[in-house]
């Protein structure tokens, strides 16, 4: 906070420009890198464009694009001059996009031109102006002409001003837009440093969408805060695209979701150690399993470029079997837990303090409690308070009210209800058990967490995915088999 003055995006950019002006900020893996100075200039160019269009303060501007240097530049060009960014996931379809554009009353849509054909049929009444995010070409609406000489206004941005509205679902049903302030996001990025300190020499390979708050806060804002560099994959994260990218960038930092590591474990590690009956019998013994895992870990680190110091895993619960492999392998993984509504990080473990089966300590400055814990297990709903908790759901006061505790609740009012079940141990480490809505009450009154059963089923070599639900006569597993096998 001494460097920033306040938790706002204009102050964040100003700080980065003063410290890291000539360092590489952003690039596509196979593109030309831009420096922090150039990032600042591009952000200003977007700001001038919106001034020329005469967009009011608090006007909503949507970003519907894959991750690229101009994604980050456009976001800064939106929020640094008092407007609000509405990031859309690249895999949202036309119906979902249309629903969000209407609900958020978006004035301008910035789009990756390759995605324009998906949504060009959406009425101009809903979205009158569509602009190519990469070259400022107008794909809809009358071009505003040259805007390079437009004077940028001096806008006072406060910490509580809304920076972004992020839609957790774009369905045709009730759209739910999470309203996050400048402080929600920037403060959370600063606090992330309690788990891992990023340095200006770090290189981050990014393949998750920037429209997801996990990638944005940790993979963009935290990186920018410390003058490191981000390289965007620029294509779907297939094995054939990732391997050469890891080899070229040799990243020190990678953010991922559990599915990536779970697939690697199942298709490479498990397949290797169960291919013959002799190796399989050895692998079943914990002593040999540790040795095999360490060997596999060494090979895995080389596959990721050989320079990795932080492999963050978040977005969903990691399979405990896979996590045990990572721990044995001495792979530099870290665990994080959070939600869009909390910008996102609530708890986690840095590389040196991971403990399989648990999330880790709560973020400093965040209060976390267990609502109505079970008297025997201590498990209850995770509820939180902190500077990273959202302002509310956009244009949905009743949904917002329902998301927080009231005076009648045992913890008192004003705590955000995550919907996740968990417990805290004596040292303050958080463990998760599943979603409150997913919990099944067994015939003898026991609490059944379907996620635990799914993890076991997913270990089977012929199973790609499973979903455990309650049937008429008990538990039923819906299983997706691996067609190739």
């Amino acid at each position: 906070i001494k460097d920033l003055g306040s938790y706002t995006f204009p102050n964040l950019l100003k700080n980065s420009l003063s410290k890291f002006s000539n360092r590489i900020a952003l690039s596509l893996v196979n593109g030309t890198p831009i420096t922090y100075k150039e990032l600042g200039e591009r952000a200003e160019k977007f700001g001038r464009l919106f001034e020329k269009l005469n967009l009011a303060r608090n006007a909503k501007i949507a970003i519907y694009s894959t991750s690229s240097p101009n994604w980050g530049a456009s976001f800064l060009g939106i929020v640094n001059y008092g407007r609000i960014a509405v990031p859309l996931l690249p895999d949202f379809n036309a119906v979902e996009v249309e629903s969000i554009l209407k609900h958020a009353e978006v004035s301008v849509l910035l789009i990756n031109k390759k995605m324009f054909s998906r949504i060009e049929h959406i009425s101009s009444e809903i979205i009158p102006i569509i602009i190519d995010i990469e070259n400022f070409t107008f794909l809809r609406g009358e071009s505003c002409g040259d805007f390079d000489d437009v004077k940028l206004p001096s806008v006072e941005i406060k910490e509580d001003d809304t920076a972004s509205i992020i839609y957790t679902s774009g369905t045709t049903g009730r759209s739910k837009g999470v309203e996050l302030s400048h402080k929600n996001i920037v403060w959370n990025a600063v606090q992330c440093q309690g788990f891992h300190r990023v340095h200006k020499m770090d290189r981050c390979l990014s393949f998750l969408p920037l429209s997801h708050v996990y990638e944005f806060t940790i993979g963009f804002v935290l990186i920018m805060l410390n003058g490191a560099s981000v390289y965007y994959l620029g294509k779907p994260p297939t094995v054939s695209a990732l391997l050469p990218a890891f080899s070229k960038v040799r990243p020190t930092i990678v953010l991922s979701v559990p599915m990536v590591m779970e697939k690697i474990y199942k298709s490479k590690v498990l397949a290797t150690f169960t291919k013959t009956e002799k190796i399989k019998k050895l692998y079943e013994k914990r002593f040999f399993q540790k040795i095999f895992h360490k060997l596999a870990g060494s090979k895995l680190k080389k596959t990721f470029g050989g320079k990795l110091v932080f492999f963050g895993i978040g977005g969903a619960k990691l399979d405990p079997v896979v996590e045990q492999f990572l721990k044995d392998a001495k792979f530099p993984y870290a665990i994080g837990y959070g939600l869009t509504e909390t910008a996102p990080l609530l708890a986690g473990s840095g590389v040196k303090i991971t403990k399989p089966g648990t999330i880790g300590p709560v973020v400093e400055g965040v209060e976390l409690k267990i609502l109505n814990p079970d008297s025997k297990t201590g498990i209850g709903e995770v509820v939180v308070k902190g500077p990273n908790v959202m302002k509310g759901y956009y244009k949905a006061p009743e949904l917002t009210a329902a998301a927080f505790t009231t005076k009648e609740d045992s913890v008192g009012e004003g705590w955000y209800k995550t919907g996740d079940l968990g417990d805290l141990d004596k040292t303050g480490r958080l463990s998760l058990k599943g979603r409150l809505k997913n919990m099944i009450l067994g015939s003898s009154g026991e609490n059944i967490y379907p996620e635990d059963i799914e993890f076991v089923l997913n270990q089977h070599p012929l199973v790609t995915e499973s979903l455990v639900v309650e049937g008429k006569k008990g538990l039923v597993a819906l299983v997706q088999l691996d067609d190739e096998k």
Side-chain angles (χ1 to χ4, degrees):
I1 191 66
K2 287 178 184 175
D3 291 341
L4 298 181
S6 66
Y7 296 109
T8 64
F9 280 98
N11 283 9
L12 175 77
L13 180 59
K14 186 180 176 184
N15 179 62
S16 296
L17 288 174
S18 69
K19 292 180 178 177
F20 317 114
S21 184
N22 295 316
R23 292 200 60 78
I24 290 174
L26 310 172
S27 180
L28 286 168
V29 169
N30 296 313
T32 305
I34 64 168
T35 63
Y36 277 87
K37 182 171 183 257
E38 289 168 319
L39 173 62
E41 288 166 354
R42 287 196 191 186
E44 286 186 356
K45 185 169 183 176
F46 277 104
R48 287 191 178 92
L49 169 64
F50 305 139
E51 281 301 310
K52 185 73 184 275
L53 289 170
N54 203 28
L55 297 181
R57 184 163 179 172
N58 289 330
K60 322 300 186 307
I61 300 164
I63 308 172
Y64 185 43
S65 171
T66 50
S67 301
S68 71
N70 267 20
W71 200 110
S74 68
F75 185 96
L76 294 170
I78 294 166
V79 304
N80 283 8
Y81 303 100
R83 299 179 182 97
I84 297 169
V86 182
L88 305 177
L89 282 167
D91 58 0
F92 276 168
N93 61 36
V95 174
E96 293 171 318
V97 171
E98 183 172 353
S99 172
I100 292 168
L101 295 177
K102 283 164 72 174
H103 187 264
E105 299 170 278
V106 170
S107 303
V108 174
L109 175 65
L110 301 175
I111 195 168
N112 183 310
K113 194 177 180 181
K114 290 178 184 174
M115 296 159 67
F116 180 57
S117 59
R118 284 193 213 170
I119 55 92
E120 62 181 322
H121 65 276
I122 295 176
S123 156
S124 57
E125 289 180 5
I126 293 169
I127 186 69
I129 300 171
I130 303 177
I131 299 170
D132 187 334
I133 193 171
E134 295 303 331
N135 62 18
F136 301 90
T137 303
F138 278 66
L139 303 174
R140 176 182 292 173
E142 192 176 336
S143 174
C144 63
D146 183 53
F147 52 89
D148 286 340
D149 295 328
V150 171
K151 192 172 186 299
L152 284 166
S154 177
V155 181
E156 185 192 355
I157 303 294
K158 295 175 182 173
E159 290 183 332
D160 196 44
D161 288 346
T162 300
S164 190
I165 301 171
I166 303 176
Y167 283 80
T168 54
S169 169
T171 58
T172 50
R174 190 82 186 264
S175 294
K176 204 157 75 164
V178 177
E179 198 171 347
L180 296 175
S181 69
H182 283 252
K183 185 173 184 177
N184 287 156
I185 300 169
V186 178
W187 181 87
N188 197 245
V190 171
Q191 298 308 102
C192 287
Q193 296 176 123
F195 295 107
H196 181 78
R197 191 61 205 248
V198 176
H199 299 284
K200 64 181 181 181
M201 301 304 288
D202 279 316
R203 297 178 306 281
C204 179
L205 178 63
S206 171
F207 51 83
L208 300 178
L210 271 168
S211 39
H212 197 296
V213 74
Y214 161 45
E215 179 66 29
F216 181 71
T217 299
I218 303 171
F220 177 75
V221 183
L222 174 59
I223 299 293
M224 198 174 129
L225 188 68
N226 293 286
S229 310
V230 185
Y231 294 83
Y232 298 112
L233 188 61
K235 55 183 80 170
T238 57
V239 174
S240 59
L242 281 170
L243 290 181
F246 278 117
S247 180
K248 184 172 183 177
V249 175
R250 303 189 78 193
T252 58
I253 295 171
V254 170
L255 297 179
S256 183
V257 289
M259 187 173 67
V260 172
M261 198 51 80
E262 286 166 4
K263 278 188 174 180
I264 290 170
Y265 172 77
K266 202 166 178 183
S267 62
K268 302 292 182 189
V269 180
L270 201 59
T272 302
F273 298 132
T274 55
K275 63 182 176 184
T276 70
E277 201 59 38
K278 191 176 179 182
I279 295 174
K280 187 179 176 183
K281 282 188 175 178
L282 284 173
Y283 186 65
E284 286 168 359
K285 292 180 169 59
R286 184 73 182 120
F287 174 78
F288 289 107
Q289 195 180 76
K290 282 184 179 179
I291 296 170
F292 288 159
H293 283 172
K294 202 168 180 181
L295 290 169
S298 180
K299 192 175 179 181
L300 194 58
K301 281 181 254 190
K302 286 177 184 172
T303 303
F304 283 115
K307 296 290 183 182
L308 209 55
V309 295
F310 183 91
F311 189 92
I313 300 175
K317 192 178 175 186
L318 177 64
D319 186 330
V321 174
V322 178
E323 186 175 2
Q324 189 60 61
F325 156 68
L326 294 173
K327 194 72 178 175
D328 292 344
K330 300 197 182 313
F331 190 79
Y333 81 100
I335 293 288
Y337 160 67
L339 302 96
T340 305
E341 287 88 343
T342 57
L345 201 66
L346 290 171
S349 290
V351 171
K352 292 179 180 176
I353 62 165
T354 50
K355 184 180 174 185
T358 70
I359 298 297
V362 177
V363 169
E364 190 177 343
V366 170
E367 293 179 80
L368 188 149
K369 288 186 178 181
I370 305 299
L371 180 64
N372 303 327
D374 183 278
S375 57
K376 292 179 183 175
T377 63
I379 296 169
E381 185 178 7
V382 177
V383 296
V384 295
K385 272 186 180 181
N388 56 326
V389 176
M390 66 170 181
K391 294 175 75 171
Y393 293 115
Y394 183 60
K395 293 199 298 192
E398 66 290 347
L399 280 178
T400 302
F404 289 86
T405 57
T406 63
K407 288 177 183 176
E408 284 70 46
D409 288 301
S410 57
V411 294
E413 67 179 331
W415 294 77
Y416 174 70
K417 299 187 286 185
T418 66
D420 289 313
L421 291 166
D423 62 24
L424 286 166
D425 67 14
K426 290 174 184 176
T427 66
R429 284 185 80 95
L430 175 70
S431 296
L432 294 180
K433 293 298 174 186
R435 292 288 293 168
L436 180 62
K437 289 178 181 175
N438 294 349
M439 192 185 78
I440 298 167
L441 194 64
S443 55
S444 56
E446 75 278 24
N447 293 337
I448 299 167
Y449 306 106
E451 291 89 347
D452 291 344
I453 305 169
E454 289 160 8
F455 284 137
V456 177
L457 291 173
N458 292 347
Q459 296 307 315
H460 195 285
L462 297 182
V463 175
T464 56
E465 266 188 302
S466 64
L467 181 70
V468 173
V469 295
E470 193 172 8
K472 290 179 181 177
K473 295 181 180 178
L475 298 183
V476 177
L478 307 174
V479 177
Q480 173 71 49
L481 298 176
D482 188 327
D483 294 334
E484 291 179 13
K485 291 180 181 175

